[in-house]
């Protein structure tokens, strides 16, 4: 899903606009992700989720020393030596890097002065586009049955931990939801007011995508709906949304950032 979506998105935008759109998108995604993490950490330090909840037992008290990788190591690992291996093993960053490079290159070939080359590039683009739509259908089918698996997993936790697990996990969920609400209304609402956009129109237009995301808990599963409502109800050009939204669905998960920040503090307090 990640590979096909990003190749299609990167290849759909005009090469002359890729640099400007890509830079603005990267800055926006990085800024909102940082704000999301900060919101999650602040709320976790205020509410202290997991305090007194012994989820790991006495054996978990003894920590393990872990060394963080160097910056050079992280950057080198982003560039895949074998893209197929990265796809097979699910290494997300190398997949994103290769997909963007491949998509940008495909966009350049689509603009080639060689008519035969441009024609075949257009066919390849449509092949990836159809492949992405097919994977969206596959993911949508999986999402119908995912709640069953989640229910069973949570039932095991409740059976093992008792009533305390219910109250503690509900408190964690409430903390995350407060963070999500603050992020939507303060961060996004503030940015829209700054740039003269209607926040009310945004909430009304994105309602369907928001509900789908809430139910499925999947950015990739929600992506087809997000693409449709952004174009039909919010007036975002397809050439922009088809590039920015697939990228955002994989690298700009603000809700996940808030959730992980709260859960990290939850584990620390527990």
């Amino acid at each position: 899903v990640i590979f096909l979506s990003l190749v299609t998105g990167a290849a759909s935008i005009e090469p002359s606009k890729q640099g400007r759109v890509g830079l603005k998108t990267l800055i926006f995604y990085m800024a909102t992700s940082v704000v999301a993490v900060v919101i999650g950490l602040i709320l976790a330090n205020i509410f202290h989720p997991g305090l007194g909840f012994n989820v790991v037992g006495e054996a978990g008290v003894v920590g393990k020393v872990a060394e963080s990788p160097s910056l050079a190591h992280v950057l080198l690992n982003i560039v895949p030596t074998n893209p197929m291996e990265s796809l097979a093993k699910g290494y997300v960053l190398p997949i994103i890097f290769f997909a963007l490079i491949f998509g940008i290159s495909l966009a350049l070939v689509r603009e080639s002065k060689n008519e035969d080359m441009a024609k075949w590039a257009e066919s390849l683009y449509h092949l990836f586009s159809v492949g992405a739509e097919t994977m969206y259908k596959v993911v949508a089918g999986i999402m119908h049955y995912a709640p069953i698996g989640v229910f069973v997993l949570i039932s095991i936790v409740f059976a093992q931990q008792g009533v305390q697990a219910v109250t503690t996990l509900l408190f964690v969920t409430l903390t995350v939801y407060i963070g999500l609400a603050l992020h939507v209304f303060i961060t996004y609402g503030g940015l829209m007011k700054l740039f003269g956009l209607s926040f009310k129109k945004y909430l009304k237009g994105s309602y369907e995508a928001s509900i789908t995301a809430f139910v499925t808990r999947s950015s990739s599963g929600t992506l087809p709906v997000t693409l449709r409502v952004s174009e039909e109800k919010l007036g975002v050009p397809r050439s922009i949304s088809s590039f920015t939204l697939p990228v955002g669905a994989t690298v700009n998960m603000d809700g996940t950032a808030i959730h992980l920040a709260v859960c990290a503090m939850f584990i620390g307090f527990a």
Side-chain angles (χ1 to χ4, degrees):
V1 172
I2 294 173
F3 178 72
L4 293 173
S5 298
L6 288 182
V7 169
T8 304
S12 63
I13 193 170
E14 297 178 15
S16 59
K17 297 181 179 179
Q18 285 176 347
R20 185 174 70 255
V21 173
L23 181 60
K24 290 181 178 179
T25 301
L26 181 62
I27 293 174
F28 177 81
Y29 286 165
M30 290 180 64
T32 55
S33 295
V34 169
V35 173
V37 172
V38 171
I39 290 176
L41 291 175
I42 291 175
L43 290 176
N45 279 281
I46 293 174
F47 295 110
H48 298 132
L51 188 63
F53 181 47
N54 188 15
V55 71
V56 295
E58 297 299 329
V61 176
V62 180
K64 295 182 179 179
V65 178
E67 296 183 2
S68 60
S70 64
L71 179 60
H73 180 74
V74 173
L75 294 177
L76 288 175
N77 282 341
I78 293 177
V79 183
T81 55
N82 187 338
M84 295 300 104
E85 180 184 10
S86 299
L87 285 169
K89 294 184 177 180
Y91 297 152
V92 177
L93 286 179
I95 292 173
I96 292 174
F97 180 85
F98 180 72
L100 289 176
I101 296 299
F102 191 92
I104 292 171
S105 300
L106 180 57
L108 293 172
V109 178
R110 289 177 67 195
E111 299 291 327
S112 174
K113 295 181 180 180
N114 186 320
E115 294 184 1
D116 290 336
M117 192 69 68
K119 181 180 70 175
W120 286 111
E122 190 69 24
S123 299
L124 182 60
Y125 166 74
H126 287 298
L127 177 63
F128 274 98
S129 181
V130 171
E133 292 295 333
T134 303
M135 285 306 304
Y136 297 154
K137 296 295 184 182
V138 172
V139 172
I142 295 173
M143 288 298 106
H144 284 293
Y145 298 97
I148 299 175
V150 174
F151 173 79
V152 174
L153 291 173
I154 295 299
S155 298
I156 294 174
V157 174
F158 288 165
Q160 291 175 341
Q161 300 295 333
V163 179
Q164 185 183 5
V166 179
T167 55
T168 303
L169 293 179
L170 285 177
F171 191 57
V172 172
T173 303
L174 178 61
T175 304
V176 173
Y177 282 176
I178 292 174
L180 296 176
L182 290 175
H183 192 56
V184 170
F185 287 97
I186 295 179
T187 306
Y188 286 102
L191 286 172
M192 289 188 172
K193 186 174 182 179
L194 179 64
F195 291 102
L197 301 174
S198 174
F199 184 57
K200 183 178 180 180
K201 179 182 178 181
Y202 163 75
L203 292 178
K204 185 177 180 180
S206 62
Y207 175 78
E208 185 180 350
S210 299
I211 292 298
T212 305
F214 178 80
V215 174
T216 63
R217 297 295 194 274
S218 171
S219 299
S220 298
T222 310
L223 187 56
V225 180
T226 309
L227 287 167
R228 177 171 56 80
V229 300
S230 65
E231 182 178 6
E232 296 177 359
K233 298 184 179 181
L234 297 176
V236 180
R238 186 73 174 186
S239 60
I240 300 297
S241 63
S242 60
F243 173 76
T244 57
L245 292 180
V247 175
T250 51
V251 302
N252 183 232
M253 299 182 180
D254 291 352
T256 301
I258 294 173
H259 175 257
L260 291 179
V262 172
C263 286
M265 298 300 294
F266 164 75
I267 295 172
F269 286 123

